[in-house]
Amino acid sequence: MGSIDTQTGTENGSTPIPIPDAQLAVGGHGSVLPSASEYAGTKTENDASRKRKASMLPLEVGTRVMCRWRDGKFHPVKVIERRKVQSGGANDYEYYVHYTEFNRRLDEWVKLEQLDLNSVETVVDEKVEDKVTSLKMTRHQKRKIDETHVEGHEELDAASLREHEEFTKVKNIATIELGRYEIETWYFSPFPPEYNDCLKLYFCEFCLNFMKRKEQLQRHMKKCDLKHPPGDEIYRSGTLSMFEVDGKKNKVYGQNLCYLAKLFLDHKTLYYDVDLFLFYVLCECDDRGCHMVGYFSKQLPCCYAMND
């Protein structure tokens, strides 16, 4: 009978070791290269994965997915809004996401490459989901959920809370410049419509007027004659001073202060008519002027405003 020839190799110069024909195609250090059929299967799988991801785009509002945050790790998010990327393709969008593990102050716009499309969950109609869930909950459980949901918004009923969250769901100003500081904002603030397309606003730290461009602020600072809040200094300790500002006498300053404050408060009733309020502004003073570091306000009794 004839013998079957096999190729052999040696190990440290010792007895030849048979090498099966199936392992003839090897890379460095004995690593086996994929066969043609295996390579074709992998390529088909990759193509199918790419097609599946492409069919998801653009992601719908309400989609839940994993997103890479600033710590380099992936966290679960919900897509709140989306916008088209200028000069991009049909599926080139940026997405405004809410990190479900964190407070709304960390909501932000992210690019598609920050999202893990393999983790996309099926979008569920929240109204249907709530309806199904409510059928399974006792009255006590529903009350506990409602109490948790409105934490921090106790003065709002359920309808008002939904309206508030819908109106303020997307942060309109990402950063502000106030004096020597650039500050990341936390929440939506209802600035006039002409400022809705500004990612950054520039504030005069003395009169609190705000502008769209740095050049505007620089021109304004040459003309602004204020070096402290437009009120009476009522307290001083070292470099710290407290000023009392009457909203009725300094209406524009009071309104600007409310706009600024709302950027860092999830819920604040913004009064365009600030006549009934006194603002107490804490400043740190140096040779350049008195620089605001914080404030609180107090509502005056109605009889005070009527008699004034």
Side-chain angles (χ1 to χ4, degrees):
M1 296 178 64
S3 62
I4 300 176
D5 294 332
T6 60
Q7 297 198 25
T8 61
T10 60
E11 183 177 359
N12 297 329
S14 58
T15 305
I17 302 174
I19 303 177
D21 291 338
Q23 294 186 9
L24 290 180
V26 298
H29 308 291
S31 60
V32 180
L33 296 176
S35 65
S37 60
E38 290 175 328
Y39 177 78
T42 302
K43 184 175 184 299
T44 302
E45 183 179 345
N46 290 338
D47 289 343
S49 177
R50 281 194 294 268
K51 290 179 180 178
R52 185 179 66 84
K53 291 179 180 179
S55 67
M56 299 178 183
L57 301 178
L59 296 178
E60 296 292 337
V61 171
T63 300
R64 295 181 184 273
V65 64
M66 300 296 287
C67 178
R68 188 176 64 253
W69 194 45
R70 61 190 69 178
D71 61 358
K73 300 178 182 179
F74 282 87
H75 297 270
V77 301
K78 179 180 178 180
V79 176
I80 303 299
E81 190 59 87
R82 68 185 188 187
R83 66 186 180 193
K84 198 82 168 60
V85 177
Q86 292 184 352
S87 68
N91 290 326
D92 288 340
Y93 282 80
E94 290 180 323
Y95 299 92
Y96 191 78
V97 299
H98 167 61
Y99 294 89
T100 55
E101 300 172 325
F102 305 130
N103 186 277
R104 285 209 312 156
R105 70 185 64 173
L106 297 179
D107 294 1
E108 62 179 348
W109 288 101
V110 299
K111 297 184 182 301
L112 180 62
E113 53 263 31
Q114 293 175 246
L115 303 175
D116 178 11
L117 296 183
N118 289 321
S119 66
V120 171
E121 297 181 12
T122 303
V123 179
V124 179
D125 187 334
E126 292 185 351
K127 294 181 180 178
V128 174
E129 186 178 38
D130 290 343
K131 185 176 180 180
V132 172
T133 305
S134 66
L135 295 175
K136 301 176 183 179
M137 290 191 300
T138 66
R139 184 178 303 172
H140 174 71
Q141 289 173 322
K142 287 189 67 177
R143 184 170 66 250
K144 292 296 290 182
I145 289 176
D146 290 341
E147 289 173 356
T148 303
H149 184 58
V150 300
E151 182 179 357
H153 302 279
E154 291 80 2
E155 73 282 9
L156 298 179
D157 57 30
S160 298
L161 182 61
R162 285 194 296 271
E163 183 180 357
H164 162 74
E165 291 182 346
E166 177 63 25
F167 184 66
T168 65
K169 65 181 181 180
V170 177
K171 189 188 308 179
N172 52 339
I173 308 296
T175 58
I176 63 168
E177 184 174 305
L178 180 67
R180 295 182 294 121
Y181 302 98
E182 183 177 86
I183 307 169
E184 290 186 6
T185 63
W186 286 356
Y187 301 109
F188 171 90
S189 183
F191 283 90
E194 59 267 27
Y195 293 91
N196 285 344
D197 60 344
C198 299
L199 295 179
K200 182 177 180 179
L201 285 183
Y202 300 85
F203 280 80
C204 170
E205 60 178 329
F206 301 119
C207 71
L208 296 187
N209 282 345
F210 45 88
M211 302 95 188
K212 295 182 178 182
R213 299 191 303 276
K214 181 78 170 181
E215 296 78 9
Q216 290 177 303
L217 177 64
Q218 291 171 340
R219 289 196 298 270
H220 169 83
M221 294 302 294
K222 294 178 181 179
K223 301 176 183 178
C224 185
D225 54 3
L226 281 180
K227 295 301 178 184
H228 59 74
D232 300 323
E233 185 182 20
I234 60 174
Y235 176 80
R236 180 183 298 180
S237 176
T239 60
L240 296 179
S241 290
M242 182 73 78
F243 290 84
E244 182 184 70
V245 181
D246 190 334
K248 187 172 184 178
K249 297 178 181 177
N250 301 280
K251 183 173 295 188
V252 173
Y253 183 90
Q255 291 174 345
N256 290 346
L257 186 55
C258 289
Y259 281 128
L260 177 60
K262 180 61 186 71
L263 291 170
F264 304 96
L265 295 171
D266 189 8
H267 176 69
K268 171 183 172 56
T269 302
L270 184 68
Y271 286 91
Y272 295 98
D273 186 0
V274 293
D275 289 7
L276 294 181
F277 288 85
L278 290 176
F279 299 91
Y280 295 89
V281 185
L282 179 64
C283 296
E284 187 173 21
C285 304
D286 57 23
D287 55 357
R288 294 177 48 247
C290 300
H291 314 280
M292 184 182 72
V293 295
Y295 91 101
F296 69 92
S297 60
K298 180 177 71 174
Q299 187 171 2
L300 296 172
C302 294
C303 58
Y304 174 86
M306 292 174 62
N307 295 331
D308 190 14

